[in-house]
Every structure is written in structure tokens, then in C-alpha cells.
Amino acid sequence: MDARFFCACGRIAIDAETPPRIPNRYRMVTDELILGFDRALRTLSGTVTSARPNPGTARPESALSEAERRHAAGLMRVNHTGEICAQALYHAQSLTARDPATRHRLAEAAREEEDHLAWTQQRLEELGDRTSFANPLAIGLVAGVTGDRTNLGFVVETERQVEEHLTGHIDRLPPSDARSRAIVAAMRDDEARHGVAAREAGGSELPWPARMLMRLAARVMTATAYYV
């Protein structure tokens, strides 16, 4: 037989045994989606851990009345649900970010938000209370938007509103609840830093209707998570 026939057969056999090469960018997106799914499961199952020490543990536990305990737990439950939304926000945004530096910045912020999630969950356990039943819904409320400037602009506006929200919680927490107040203050400082970083990275101002819609959604989430 013609030697070219054997070469062709050999080539076909080699090609059949060699799996198709998947471009790196698709592998990276697939890996991120798998990690995001795993992260969502860990978030909802309550198995998150913090990389940084809980700022509340350095403060003494105070004796709270039953009304103060319930009120503090309601506020911390709201904050815990808000951190689940923040996790969804940052990880969805990082998946759609085109610039590697933007993607890295969003991933770093997401890791700090996971600290907040662990801190608020630990505080709820210390207060003898539970996380919100609305948490599974919160996971699906946030999706990435295209364009790095818009992504970062969404982060800027989110952090601006969250900073205002946390400042209000510090004012509303029982004065004697030093642990909860320390956690919320540390969270507020982180959120302010995230917002400044996103603005300096080129985040664009969101249109007025988008900002108002975000405020409305936050009010619904806050009112629901406080009780449920």
C-alpha cells in the first residue's frame, strides 16, 4: 500500500486519542463558574470562614435586655443578608470584567466581603439568633453588567449606599452592644475603601433611575431580613 495511507491512518488515530484543546479564556470562565457555585453553596450552608480576625471578639460581651438582643439580632441579620448580596455582586461583576486589574480588584473586595459574612454570622450565633430565610433569594438578585466602567460604577453606588446604611445601624444598635458595633464599624470602613477604589479605577456614575431602583430594592431587602 501507499505509505501515505499509513501516515494518514496514523494521523487519524493520533487525532482520535488527543482531546480537543480548549482555549484558556474558556477554561478560566468555566473554573470561575464552578468556584462561584461552590462559594454560593458554602454561603447558604453557613460554612464561610474569615481570613481576618473578627473585630468584635476583642470587645467584652455585654448584658442585653431581651428587646435589645432581638433588635441587635435583627440588624445583624440584615447585614448578613446584605453581605450575601455583596458576594453575588462582586463575583458576578468579576466574571464579566474585561480588564485583569479590574477583575483582581473585584476578587479582592469579594474576599473581604466574605470576612463580613463570617463576622455577622458569628455575631448572630452569639446573640442566639438565626440568619434570614430570605438568603437564597438574595443570591439571585444580583447579576453582572457588561463594561468595566459600568461594573465599577455599580460598585461605587452600592458601596455608597451600604456605607450610609451601616452608619445608620451604628446609631441604632444598643449602645452597650460593643461587639456588634465594632463589627459594623469595621465593615463600614471596608465598604468605604471599596467605593473609593472603584471610583479611582474609573467607575462611571450610574443614571438616577438606576440609583433609585437600587435604593428601593435595598429597602425591601432590609425590611424583610430584619424579621424574616
Side-chain angles (χ1 to χ4, degrees):
M1 287 188 178
D2 194 326
R4 288 174 296 179
F5 176 79
F6 291 103
C7 291
C9 290
R11 175 69 177 275
I12 292 171
I14 292 172
D15 288 347
E17 294 175 359
T18 304
R21 299 183 64 182
I22 301 174
N24 287 336
R25 65 179 180 277
Y26 295 129
R27 275 204 300 265
M28 290 174 62
V29 170
T30 302
D31 290 347
E32 287 296 325
L33 288 172
I34 293 172
L35 289 172
F37 183 69
D38 174 70
R39 191 179 297 111
L41 289 177
R42 287 189 291 107
T43 296
L44 294 179
S45 64
T47 57
V48 293
T49 57
S50 62
R52 295 177 293 170
N54 187 327
T57 56
R59 306 298 178 90
E61 185 64 88
S62 303
L64 302 174
S65 68
E66 181 58 21
E68 289 176 330
R69 186 201 65 78
R70 284 199 306 268
H71 180 55
L75 295 178
M76 297 307 287
R77 184 161 45 246
V78 168
N79 292 331
H80 182 269
T81 300
E83 292 306 322
I84 290 180
C85 291
Q87 286 279 297
L89 164 67
Y90 280 115
H91 288 297
Q93 299 276 350
S94 66
L95 282 175
T96 60
R98 295 182 176 88
D99 177 46
T102 299
R103 192 160 50 245
H104 176 74
R105 187 176 294 108
L106 291 167
E108 285 293 321
R111 277 190 282 273
E112 292 192 349
E113 299 293 349
E114 192 164 333
D115 289 346
H116 299 173
L117 193 62
W119 297 346
T120 52
Q121 181 172 315
Q122 181 180 343
R123 186 57 186 151
L124 279 168
E125 292 171 356
E126 292 172 350
L127 290 168
D129 221 303
R130 56 168 176 79
T131 57
S132 174
F133 294 131
N135 284 346
L137 177 63
I139 283 287
L141 288 179
V142 186
V145 290
T146 58
D148 286 358
R149 287 176 59 83
T150 305
N151 278 353
L152 291 170
F154 195 71
V155 171
V156 170
E157 183 59 30
T158 298
E159 299 296 19
R160 178 188 297 128
Q161 294 186 21
V162 170
E163 185 181 357
E164 294 173 2
H165 157 85
L166 293 175
T167 297
H169 274 203
I170 291 175
D171 294 336
R172 294 170 59 194
L173 279 166
S176 60
D177 189 0
R179 287 196 171 189
S180 296
R181 295 172 71 87
I183 291 171
V184 174
M187 290 167 57
R188 182 186 60 181
D189 292 345
D190 283 346
E191 308 297 2
R193 181 163 43 79
H194 296 165
V196 170
R199 189 180 303 108
E200 291 177 347
S204 59
E205 186 77 10
L206 294 183
W208 177 83
R211 298 198 304 271
M212 292 302 102
L213 183 61
M214 290 169 63
R215 286 191 180 276
L216 177 61
R219 287 173 186 167
V220 172
M221 184 274 290
T222 299
T224 302
Y226 183 89
Y227 297 103
V228 181

